[in-house]
Every structure is written in C-alpha cells, then in structure tokens.
Amino acid sequence: MKLLVNDYCDIVQIRPDGNCFYRAFAFALFELLIGNSDEIERIKQNMKKTRDFMIQTLKYPDVTVEDFYEQGNC
C-alpha cells in the first residue's frame, strides 16, 4: 500500500469480505461515469438485457431475478 501512495493521490480501501472484487469494480465504474450521462444510459440498457439472459438462457428462477431488478427502477 505504501508503494501505491507514491503513484496515486487517492486510494479507496475495500472491505475484504468475499465481495471485494465486485465492490471495487462497481466503485471504479461509478467514479468513471460521473458526469457522463450517455455512458450511464448505455450501461443501464445493457444491464436490463441481462434479466432475460439469466431467465431464458441460464434458467435462473424469475422470482429471484425479479427482486434484483425491481431495486433498480429508475
């Protein structure tokens, strides 16, 4: 960590709880998207497509998938 401080002005520590990769990825993505409404819309549209993919292709139960997608109605 001390070596990273030499190259970067800000370092965000992520809790190592088994979801650290996803949390770090999401944080970096959100930081990248600040002020870029076109890219935000593009990513939202791609995320909406994953619902049908998970249900139809991967055979996830629609009940569990619906819960996830209902949280993001915006």
Side-chain angles (χ1 to χ4, degrees), residues 9-72:
C9 59
D10 293 318
I11 295 176
V12 177
Q13 289 187 294
I14 303 295
R15 183 176 8 147
D17 63 354
N19 292 315
C20 51
F21 169 77
Y22 301 105
R23 188 175 289 110
F25 178 82
F27 186 87
L29 178 63
F30 296 149
E31 195 171 58
L32 181 71
L33 294 175
I34 293 173
N36 190 344
S37 58
D38 291 338
E39 190 67 8
I40 290 171
E41 191 56 37
R42 186 186 74 79
I43 289 174
K44 283 173 66 175
Q45 292 307 314
N46 282 333
M47 291 175 126
K48 288 177 183 178
K49 293 176 188 175
T50 62
R51 178 190 168 278
D52 293 335
F53 175 76
M54 291 192 321
I55 292 171
Q56 295 169 0
T57 307
L58 300 178
K59 306 297 184 204
Y60 276 54
D62 60 342
V63 173
T64 57
V65 173
E66 290 295 332
D67 288 347
F68 173 77
Y69 282 90
E70 286 177 8
Q71 298 301 316

Side-chain angles (χ1 to χ4, degrees), residues 1-11:
M1 177 102 139
K2 291 178 184 178
L3 295 175
L4 292 175
V5 173
N6 295 333
D7 295 328
Y8 300 96
C9 59
D10 293 318
I11 295 176

